[in-house]
Amino acid sequence: MAIIKTEDLTYVYSAGTPFEKKAIDNLNIEIEEGELVGIIGHTGSGKSTFIQHLNGLLKPSSGKIFIDGTDIWQDKQTTLATRFKVGLVFQYPEYQIFEETVYKDIAFGPKNMGLSEEEIDKRVRETAKLVEISDEQLEKSPFELSGGQKRRVAIAGVMAMRPKVLILDEPCAGLDPKGRDRILDKIKEYHEEQKSTVLLVSHSMEDVAKIATKILVMNNASIVCYDEPPKVFGMAEEISKMGLDIPQITKVFNALKEKGYHIADDVYTVPYALKKLLAYLDNKGVKGNA
Amino acid sequence: MDNIIEAKDVWFHYQSESFEEDAPIKEVLKGVSLDIKRGEFVAVLGHNGSGKSTIAKHFNAILTANKGEIIVDGINAADDEKLFDIRQRVGMVFQNPDNQIVATIVEEDVAFALENLGVDPAEMRERVDNALKDVGMYDFREHAPHQLSGGQKQRVAIAGIIAMCPDCIVLDEPTAMLDPIGRKEVMKTIKKLNRENGVTIILITHYMDEAAKADRIVVMDSGQIILDGTPKQVFKNVDLLKEVGLDVPQVTELAYGLRKNGIDIPDDIITEEECIEEIIKIIEKAGK
């Protein structure tokens, strides 16, 4: 059964005013449990509006959302329970840190869930370990940490609630390449350990390609496609027209194909590009030393 | 040669937040020397904590060196009396567009600094209009900033700086919070200001493709400059860049991988076009 399912989901901002705007339009999608989904789309495509529906932060103008088979708006209790089932990490989550110590900040969500002290302690320590925050750092004020560390703490705060679905809105925004790879690695580790469903919103196809099992492309308030990464990258040109960035290497291989050198269709990482190109060259009789 | 900025053996540490008297001093800049020529487009790379933003903040005297000196257009930046002169010559644009806009109407925001400087209203009108035209935001002059996209806000912030007619603009990760379209708009604006208006640009960035468009790249690590040269010269150092937590353009990495496998391809490929051309050359050569 799908963990997330929407039926004709539509949301209109400022309905009945001159600023009325359909942010999502008749969305129908089913996401299976255990997927790591990369959601890409340019600003205004509706991706943030979409994810805010999944834990009941926004109420649909029309249509339905099912989490784990239950309509999240069927009654008030279900809506509230959804907030624990679906954890949402906003953009720049480090701005939302407020507790005195890192430990307390990570413990805040689990505490609100009414868990026992022992369980809270266990979860805080496990999650801190996962995001590489040391025991010593747990006792520090969050404001003594670096930007990258703060972000990992803020993400840990949601992970510690062990939501069935974890959603992260642009978790890598503003980080340097090293910090970016580290966060992506941690998300992947969490996904593998917990076997839960993870949704990752990003502008960058490159980042998404590194870890996602499926990619959801949004444009103009609708879903353009939902498929495995190689298939989605095969549509590079259409995606580029939507104002999204295509990895440089994908552009190179597409251009080569256009010029009659068909090496591979689904290139988006350098190691894979290298492998395919070396094999192609080998075939043509260009021998390296390897 | 005419240098707009000269940094000579600059050392800097932030005041320790610890109350302990003998808390160790952590040097953020360890003897940085750097000359920026008038009209140059320089990209500064370095991972978080490398000191790149810290050195940039010295260029318009937001920070002053503990040791060494900074000369901006012949003026010593340590001279408090000359602070206004320095800030007028070197403008700064920061990462978050929302933190830089103060007024409720776009053109008023651009005029803000000019009002503070007491510029004549007629001249102010002209400068504001020209600055908004330079960044392609003239049509939005009567909009409220919150109606703009991130890229548009960032261009308004740039217009506010241009209106002061600076010789040099320092941009500290101006595109980090923008989407691909916003990034392109801002990069186009920066390049135009450099090529057409002759403004010196110092661009601090994490994006290798943006750095590849500069005339020169300076790479910082642990408070020191470790590489300084044209993009082609700098990106050749694939191993060193990765070691200090940076990337190289994907095409450079691909060429590097090919070379490692014994394929003869130049080691200074940084654009898609070069990469495509060289790969075709190799294939065609094999066909003969």
Side-chain angles (χ1 to χ4, degrees):
Chain A
M1 189 184 58
I3 180 91
I4 298 169
K5 186 180 169 204
T6 67
E7 265 179 26
D8 303 328
L9 183 67
T10 298
Y11 187 78
V12 184
Y13 278 106
S14 313
T17 75
F19 302 106
E20 186 170 305
K21 189 183 183 296
K22 240 183 215 174
I24 41 179
D25 190 4
N26 238 340
L27 224 67
N28 287 292
I29 183 140
E30 286 186 33
I31 294 172
E32 294 298 320
E33 186 153 21
E35 299 277 12
L36 201 170
V37 183
I39 303 179
I40 56 173
H42 73 84
T43 313
S45 60
K47 57 190 193 311
S48 291
T49 308
F50 171 59
I51 58 165
Q52 286 179 57
H53 276 89
L54 300 180
N55 75 341
L57 279 182
L58 289 176
K59 192 173 184 179
S61 303
S62 65
K64 280 185 176 156
I65 304 142
F66 299 90
I67 299 291
D68 222 359
T70 316
D71 179 353
I72 67 167
W73 290 99
Q74 67 184 18
D75 54 54
K76 210 174 167 190
Q77 265 168 337
T78 315
T79 312
L80 285 177
T82 306
R83 303 259 155 84
F84 294 129
K85 247 188 204 170
V86 181
L88 186 55
V89 181
F90 286 104
Q91 229 181 96
Y92 300 98
E94 59 273 24
Y95 293 148
Q96 297 169 44
I97 291 180
F98 63 96
E99 279 282 13
E100 294 162 352
T101 67
V102 171
Y103 183 98
K104 282 187 186 171
D105 202 87
I106 300 177
F108 184 79
K111 219 172 178 173
N112 272 341
M113 295 172 76
L115 299 175
S116 71
E117 286 295 326
E118 285 148 54
E119 180 64 20
I120 294 173
D121 188 67
K122 188 174 151 244
R123 286 193 181 189
V124 170
R125 294 193 187 279
E126 272 178 21
T127 321
K129 201 175 157 213
L130 173 76
V131 299
E132 289 173 29
I133 295 294
S134 66
D135 282 349
E136 192 191 324
Q137 284 166 329
L138 278 177
E139 300 315 319
K140 277 191 175 176
S141 159
F143 303 102
E144 285 175 51
L145 304 180
S146 77
Q149 287 168 337
K150 268 194 253 179
R151 183 164 304 177
R152 278 183 277 134
V153 167
I155 293 174
V158 180
M159 285 177 168
M161 292 166 75
R162 303 267 193 280
K164 290 200 92 162
V165 180
L166 175 69
I167 306 175
L168 303 110
D169 193 358
E170 296 270 1
C172 302
L175 295 180
D176 62 5
K178 214 184 199 166
R180 192 184 63 204
D181 287 346
R182 199 158 178 196
I183 293 265
L184 290 172
D185 279 349
K186 294 296 130 196
I187 294 170
K188 196 174 171 203
E189 256 175 58
Y190 168 87
H191 174 246
E192 281 163 3
E193 267 178 31
Q194 299 293 324
K195 311 250 179 290
S196 62
T197 312
V198 178
L199 272 57
L200 174 76
V201 175
S202 178
H203 287 309
S204 163
M205 282 190 88
E206 243 169 292
D207 290 353
V208 166
K210 283 180 189 151
I211 61 169
T213 56
K214 283 258 179 83
I215 295 181
L216 175 73
V217 185
M218 290 194 67
N219 193 35
N220 277 337
S222 307
I223 290 172
V224 179
C225 70
Y226 176 58
D227 216 328
E228 283 156 12
K231 298 230 172 80
V232 175
F233 281 99
M235 314 167 36
E237 200 155 317
E238 285 156 271
I239 287 169
S240 159
K241 274 186 197 140
M242 290 170 208
L244 288 167
D245 252 353
I246 304 291
Q248 198 183 30
I249 206 82
T250 309
K251 287 186 214 162
V252 168
F253 278 71
N254 286 349
L256 283 168
K257 187 184 168 189
E258 254 173 52
K259 290 182 193 288
Y261 306 96
H262 190 185
I263 300 163
D265 279 323
D266 53 355
V267 172
Y268 46 91
T269 64
V270 174
Y272 186 71
L274 186 62
K275 199 176 116 195
K276 285 284 180 186
L277 183 55
L278 284 171
Y280 182 88
L281 290 176
D282 194 57
N283 231 339
K284 295 267 169 193
V286 184
K287 301 287 176 203
N289 56 4
Chain B
M1 182 64 216
D2 189 12
N3 290 328
I4 180 79
I5 292 170
E6 292 173 10
K8 292 176 192 162
D9 191 30
V10 172
W11 288 72
F12 181 82
H13 58 260
Y14 288 96
Q15 285 298 329
S16 171
E17 281 173 30
S18 168
F19 293 107
E20 291 159 44
E21 294 234 334
D22 52 354
I25 287 173
K26 196 174 163 255
E27 296 292 349
V28 181
L29 298 178
K30 301 171 192 163
V32 174
S33 295
L34 180 67
D35 290 343
I36 309 276
K37 291 190 191 80
R38 204 177 284 276
E40 236 182 341
F41 181 174
V42 184
V44 183
L45 294 176
H47 68 84
N48 291 341
S50 61
K52 60 190 191 311
S53 293
T54 304
I55 187 71
K57 284 181 186 146
H58 280 76
F59 294 157
N60 73 342
I62 293 176
L63 296 174
T64 45
N66 298 124
K67 205 183 122 201
E69 61 182 14
I70 303 268
I71 308 290
V72 177
D73 201 13
I75 307 166
N76 191 325
D79 187 351
D80 277 345
E81 309 265 302
K82 294 285 171 62
L83 200 59
F84 256 61
D85 298 301
I86 288 169
R87 300 250 164 100
Q88 239 173 314
R89 282 170 172 80
V90 181
M92 192 126 179
V93 175
F94 297 94
Q95 193 180 95
N96 189 341
D98 290 316
N99 291 350
Q100 299 171 76
I101 292 186
V102 289
T104 51
I105 300 290
V106 164
E107 61 178 13
E108 283 176 14
D109 192 79
V110 177
F112 183 77
L114 301 182
E115 279 170 350
N116 281 349
L117 292 171
V119 173
D120 173 69
E123 193 192 331
M124 197 189 299
R125 180 77 258 171
E126 198 186 315
R127 281 215 224 166
V128 168
D129 287 349
N130 286 340
L132 282 168
K133 280 174 192 162
D134 279 340
V135 300
M137 287 298 292
Y138 184 68
D139 292 340
F140 293 86
R141 63 191 179 281
E142 286 171 0
H143 279 58
H146 74 264
Q147 293 171 317
L148 306 179
S149 72
Q152 289 171 331
K153 279 186 223 172
Q154 207 57 312
R155 284 188 285 153
V156 170
I158 295 173
I161 302 291
I162 300 173
M164 295 170 70
C165 305
D167 300 295
C168 175
I169 303 181
V170 180
L171 303 106
D172 193 355
E173 294 185 42
T175 62
M177 297 175 90
L178 306 181
D179 64 6
I181 295 175
R183 275 181 61 198
K184 265 183 214 145
E185 288 170 3
V186 169
M187 279 308 291
K188 213 175 110 194
T189 306
I190 295 172
K191 268 202 305 194
K192 184 176 154 238
L193 288 172
N194 178 253
R195 302 280 185 258
E196 292 174 20
N197 305 22
V199 181
T200 310
I201 301 285
I202 300 173
L203 173 70
I204 298 171
T205 183
H206 284 321
Y207 291 107
M208 304 305 140
D209 55 330
E210 290 178 0
K213 290 184 180 121
D215 301 327
R216 174 179 168 200
I217 298 179
V218 172
V219 182
M220 291 196 63
D221 186 54
S222 313
Q224 286 172 322
I225 293 174
I226 56 165
L227 288 170
D228 183 351
T230 63
K232 278 182 178 293
Q233 290 165 345
V234 166
F235 283 132
K236 266 185 201 178
N237 303 281
V238 178
D239 288 331
L240 178 61
L241 288 169
K242 295 226 162 191
E243 213 174 280
V244 299
L246 294 172
D247 261 338
V248 294
Q250 283 188 324
V251 290
T252 313
E253 203 179 337
L254 180 71
Y256 177 77
L258 287 171
R259 286 179 69 82
K260 261 196 168 171
N261 280 281
I263 307 283
D264 186 23
I265 189 165
D267 62 356
D268 60 354
I269 289 178
I270 57 168
T271 69
E272 287 152 38
E273 292 74 27
E274 290 168 337
C275 182
I276 294 164
E277 196 183 308
E278 292 297 338
I279 290 175
I280 292 178
K281 262 193 216 163
I282 295 168
I283 298 172
E284 289 305 318
K285 220 165 102 189
K288 276 169 199 157

